[in-house]
Amino acid sequence: MKIYRSHLLICGGTGCHASGSLIVKKALVEELDKRGLAEEIKIVETGCNGFCAQGPIMVVYPEGIVYMQIKADDVPELVEEHLVKGRPLARLFYMEPTTEEKIPTMQEIPFFAHQELRVLRNRGLIDPENIEEYIARDGYAGLAKALTELSADDIVKEVLASGLRGRGGAGFPTGLKWQFAARSMGDVKYVLCNADEGDPGAFMDRSVLEADPHAVIEGMVIAAKAIGSTQGYIYCRAEYPLAIHRMNIALSQARDLGLIGSNILETGLNFDIEIYQGAGAFVCGEETALMTSIEGKRGMPRPRPPFPAVSGLWGKPSILNNVETLANIGQIILRGGDWYASVGTERSKGTKVFALTGDVNNVGLVEVPMGTTLGTIVYDIGGGIPGGKRFKAAQLGGPSGGMIPVQHLNAPIDYEKVAELGAIMGSGGMIVLNEDKCAVDMARFFMDFCQDESCGKCVPCREGTKRMLEILTNICNGKGQEGDIELLENMAIVIKDASLCGLGQTAPNPVLSTIRYFRSEYEAHIRDKRCTAVVCSALFKSPCQHTCPVGMDVPAYVALIRAGRLEDAYKIMMRTNPFPSVCGRVCDHKCQSKCRRGMLDEPVAIKFLKRFISDNAPRPKIDPVPVTRKEKIGVVGAGPAGLTAAKDLAMRGYKVNVFEELPTPGGMLAWGIPSYRLPREILNREIDDIRQLGVDIRCGVRVGRDIPFDQFLKDYDYIYLAPGAHKSQRMGVDGENLQSVYGGVEFLREFNLNEAAWLQGEKKIGSRVAVVGGGNSAIDAARTAVRLGADVTILYRRLRADMPAAEEEIVAAEHEGIKIEYLVAPTKLIGEGGKVTGITCERMTLGDFDASGRRRPVPVKGSEFTLSVDAVIAAIGQTPDLSFVSEGSGVKVNRWSCFDLDGLSKSKTLRDKVYAGGDAVTGPDTVIGAIQAGHQAAEDIDRAIRTTNGEPLYVAPPSEDIVIPFEIDEETEERPQAAMPELDARERRKSFIEVELGYSREEAFKEACRCLRCDAEI
Amino acid sequence: MSQVSLTIDNKEVSVKPGTTILEAARSVGIDIPTLCHHRALVPVGACRVCVVEVEGQRTLQASCVFPVTAGMNVQTESPRVVQARKFILDMLFSERNHFCPFCETSGDCELQNLGYRYGLDHWVYQTYTKAFPVDASRQYFLMDHNRCVLCGRCIRACSEIAANHTLGLRQRGAKSMINADTNTPFGGSTCISCGTCLQVCPTGAIFDSRSSFMGREAQSEVVKSTCSQCSVGCGIELITRGGNLLRVRGDWEGEVNKGAICKHGRFEPLNEGRNRLLNPMIRRKGKLQPVSWSEALQAVAKRLEATEAKAVGVLTSSNATNEALFLLEKLFCKELKVNNVGLLNEAAPKLAGQRRGMLNDLVQSDLILVVGADPAKDQPVSSFFVKRAVDKGARLIVVDSEQNGLVPFAFMNVEMKNIQKAVEIAERAENPFVLYGAGMTEDAAKVLNKLQKKAAFAAIEPGVNTRAAVAFGFNNGFKPASSKTLYVLMGEADGSGEKALQSIDKKGFVVVQASYASPLTERADVVLPTAIWSERTGSLTNTEGRVLKANRAVDPEGDAKPDWEILSLLAGKLGKSLPTSFDDLSARASNELKRKEI
């Protein structure tokens, strides 16, 4: 044997072929030739390496250094550096997406490190077209043992002992299947290999056939001895040309060595294998349909019984096993069933190969022990979700499987657990879905696949799937009706119960599973015509508008900026949002997260453009609206929810009185958000507009104290309660009652109430401040404290990616010199003389997943440390203070200290004529959420009044006709968002002047031009 | 054989092992509804209408395919079953156009009956949106895809019964469509228009063009009979309404055919284009004039009495009934001593000493020789048996011209002179079968003798009742020139008398007993109008020698009378005492045929 100093193992799977491995290989051959290294260094084309998303992949041995995403142009440098000068080329190493660390060897890459390779043990290691390499890795040793040392019965016993279950999906014990066939009478029996991998997104079997074809042959020969068969077939879809090519080579090599054919290893066993190419019908993965297809007929399933073990191919006893099942057999025989059963769970033994695809960083083939948690597969091996998006669910089992949602990330994946969660193992296709995938649309997609692939033989599958698809399509198109969900569920039950084969019996799974976990999405589609993931395009004009809780017509005002018509743009904004200047500054801009421009480069800066309009457009003049209706409305709380409702109701002619406990209106906008983010005069301008309409805002009046609640109920015909959530949650640690320990909102409110005193140093926060929490309040408190001269540290118990605060706020805080300690949680506060002096914390590590899909922080024992502080601000969440509501009023408060609403109503409390909204219903939410609640309440109150009076419903007066120009660039160039000009960080630390300066006209125009005008119908 | 006991709907049932749940249920009067199931077809469990709840099974099971096991507990109408069945029916009704009032089969439709049975009174799901084409490219029957429920019965009938494999499915899932030869219009396909698909269609998707809208099953009468179109002797059912024959279908109980019939039996006789003879006629002043039966028969009798026996000739076609042939032989040969008698068509040569095979045995054969016969054209139902055997793996060798209709199914086709090659192959077969016809040469027959020990032989006679005609001695080398008086029992035969006509003396007296006008009746001096197949009762002897009964379904048209009755009346006129009652006649004819060991 020739000795080489180095081996280059280049991946030759279909995936890497597609990404150009053959070109790279050619370049390598040329380069090695050119440098005269061909005699020293050997290139081996292997089967699929598994890490398909990173292809072409090459591993250099003996060092074991792995290069990824190699291009032909990289080859000269690679050869020069690594193979000539011995310096590994770090540029082409794998980069871990979360840590951005460059990792040189396979075993250190998390994608590989968490795997346990059995079926894929030879992947990327051997040349699949060379039988000797397989034999060198103990190949055919299992066959030799089975044929020379074991009886047929022993083989079956060994397979039974291994606990191996059918990897095609149904999970039937392989040994049992063999036992049945072995006991079946008949001179002719068949061993069949199912390589008709039909699930979209599944490529396990193809990979095994391409990377390790002999493993399958070995398994089949052993099976042949076990059941007494002389002929085998591999049913492989014609779409797998490389797999078929390599399998043909493998078969002929095995035949040459006498490993298949007659008198194998001179044991008297005769067994040969033929490849049968299928035409790629999904249903031909079903065993009886597969056999019908081999018989040369239309691939349609047959009823069972008789089972194939009794009457299979051509009516003869047959066993059908999946590629992965068979690839396990050689090793089970060689190493024993007990070895195989040593990993896995109680009833699911061994490993399982998954084809990990979809919205996950590391797309590829993954082999893990049964019982590995979904979270491990998706996050540790899969590297998490790209683009900072959130994990929504994993579709397991292909189009007839089901979804496993975020709350089950800790689920150990084995046959039982997967079934319990409403999915199926299937052949191991695992499609990761992020938050941008609509559950209804996914169900529709899979149902479309199944109805298309239904063979048409039995009625429930043929027609049932089509009818279900029609209903799902209707729902996606906004034509869903009340009762559709129940109808789908009933249909699904019958289709599963009455269909002939596995295709029909599992086709409704995605629907049942999405209804089970995402029923609210179905309801939103049917009732509100809303697609929360913004996928079902029939329901909206543009993703941004659909995402906006109040449906602001974003494309319209962006287009008007481009046309220079700012006044019109302002009017468009005012139609849906009474606080555009506020939202232009502090909105959490969900619209931008769904902006389609974001798929190209970055989303359009919708929030900044909104601010640009409100800053630069002439403000429309507001005239009072005369009171035309007799019903009087009382509103509690002058925050965004209360004021929006008041405005809407005033516009409809009602007399509205708003009661505010604090000295000025604005709620959280005024008392929670610091003025460097939202200058008070900007806010007041918009509140004044509402006053101007005729809304009466009375500040300094607390309902329940200054006016008894029951009296208030009598004074007004209809009432809207929007008091917000102004009470901080407590940390629950010792010392929380010490002096200088503040709640986040309490601190901000205190500062705003006595701003002058704080600024003039009459009140002091001290020089070292710890802020606990990771939300916007925590950042607001921290940045306020910085401005008061403190040295601020934020303590957060998880990772930065888990922080609920807006990313730009975190960045701004860092710019202002705020330190953020991650994975830290306070355990107690230490005080001296009643005043806090220190905060003891412990380090956290991340454990399993919580229901939100984030890893749960777990304390690290003995990691306590103490920070010396002058003040602690605990901003870990807020709750409403609803103590003003009298107990007998009938207005119910739930265990989250929020108002309970009546049935399906979105604003009515359990007491008639009393409505509620905003943070006091939802818990702490966004400004735009509160505005939406205000609109909703006004609509509901007005509707209730008119319905009670028997009047026709309110029709808004026709609004001014504003023609929206349609102007768009022919060519879209990649260009990021225009940056927001900001005050210098050093300046910022000294004052409460607004940090963000706003776009210039030119910047705004350029930014507006980035809009792709998804609203346009062409 | 031991019995298996199980419980169906809380009723104890005991059946043979291997019985399906459906069969077991029906054996005790529990009616599980079915749709894709058909008694003559292999069950496939496709439509799922027959699903039942079997204790211990995860899903519902199709009772038509699920075998019983001991102790099994089955519920056939549980709420779960009924829910599934109603769902399936809802699906079927909404699949295509099943607006019954407009359908030909409304009232006779299996789908509609199920709809009534399960109380479907409205559409739950969105109904069909797309109209499908109607294929009217075949002469006798149509395919309306709009009414199709894709049960696949037609496809299975085409494959399993006719073994012609014309029908199939294209596309898949809900887009599936029945089609011929990978989507050829039926009329241009390999379809042989046997109409087996029509006969098994549960809805109005395949329907007969002639009789559509002419009457539902409930309004019509059914008469069982035997087909009189070829020598196979298929059992048929004649459906009539108010004395009109609507249509013909195969009798599933038919001894030979077990339900299958062909184009010749099902459609062609109902679309007869020839002119019927409605009155007895006598030539007067060179023209045929209608007369009474008595007058006509009197004239025949008078002429026969006046002619010496050796100058009388008798010709018969092979579609005469056993009874008529019996009388013909008794009257002319025995009583009148006429010996110049003959058969209008050819007969298959007789092979002596061969083991006789029955047509149904063909299916068990592993090698079939078809010699000098074209059953696909002339006796299609027998060709079904041949093709079924081919489907099961038998090799077919056609010893005939390459135009023979079975050649496309054959493994080999040789000319008659090369029969030796075929015989050599057949000698190596385990269970060869020789199906031969009138086209077999004597030389070929000699070569075939080599197979005497091994093969089963069956003649496939070209004419309907040739076996009986030959047995009664009518295949006797008729010499036309010597007859001065010729009696031709022609029946429904077509043109086969023309050769005789040419050689007969111009002054000769010709009596023709026939159903249709032809050159021969134009030449005749007396015409005796004869009832056709559907109008007469009588017996036929098929090519295997089975005596089969044909029954009258409608009254004879005009003054026509059954063939045997005319002869019986003529015997009366001649003062000969021959049996006159049909039953007597029929029994004696059968007995005599048995005696002749045909």
Side-chain angles (χ1 to χ4, degrees), chain A residues 796-800 802 822-823 850 854-857:
Chain A
Y796 183 56
R797 61 193 187 124
R798 302 179 193 253
L799 290 174
R800 180 180 176 131
D802 300 323
Y822 298 103
L823 292 171
D850 67 10
R854 297 180 298 177
R855 284 189 191 270
R856 206 170 269 134

Side-chain angles (χ1 to χ4, degrees), chain A residues 298 303 305 452-460 462-464 466-467 470 491 494-500 505, chain B residues 44 46-48 58-60 65-67 80 84 87 91 94-95 125-126 149-150 169 171-175:
Chain A
R298 181 180 159 101
D452 201 40
E453 291 290 346
S454 164
C455 78
K457 183 169 182 171
C458 78
V459 180
R462 177 180 80 222
E463 288 304 320
K466 189 172 175 222
R467 300 293 151 207
E470 274 167 5
M491 293 173 81
V494 181
I495 294 170
K496 283 170 77 83
D497 206 13
S499 290
L500 173 61
Q505 285 167 11
Chain B
V44 291
C47 72
R48 318 305 284 174
R58 187 173 47 88
T59 57
L60 298 175
V65 287
F66 204 88
R80 183 175 156 205
F87 173 80
M91 289 294 118
S94 55
E95 176 175 33
Y125 304 94
Q126 189 172 328
V149 291
L150 295 169
L169 274 180
Q171 289 281 21
R172 63 182 172 216
K175 294 195 197 95

Side-chain angles (χ1 to χ4, degrees), chain A residues 515-545:
Chain A
I515 291 178
R516 174 171 169 183
Y517 295 117
F518 303 104
R519 196 182 188 102
S520 62
E521 278 190 51
Y522 278 84
E523 287 166 349
H525 280 73
I526 294 168
R527 294 183 186 145
D528 308 330
K529 311 298 172 202
R530 275 185 74 86
C531 174
T532 39
V534 199
V535 170
C536 300
S537 56
L539 298 180
F540 53 82
K541 280 200 322 188
S542 60
C544 47
Q545 182 174 15

Side-chain angles (χ1 to χ4, degrees), chain A residues 880-915:
Chain A
D881 170 14
L882 304 183
S883 57
F884 69 98
V885 174
S886 67
E887 280 203 5
S889 65
V891 178
K892 291 274 180 298
V893 175
N894 60 30
R895 61 193 169 106
W896 299 282
S897 302
C898 296
F899 288 119
D900 253 353
L901 296 184
D902 185 16
L904 287 178
S905 170
K906 290 178 180 131
S907 64
K908 191 177 163 298
T909 66
L910 293 168
R911 185 191 159 109
D912 215 21
K913 300 187 179 182
V914 179
Y915 292 72

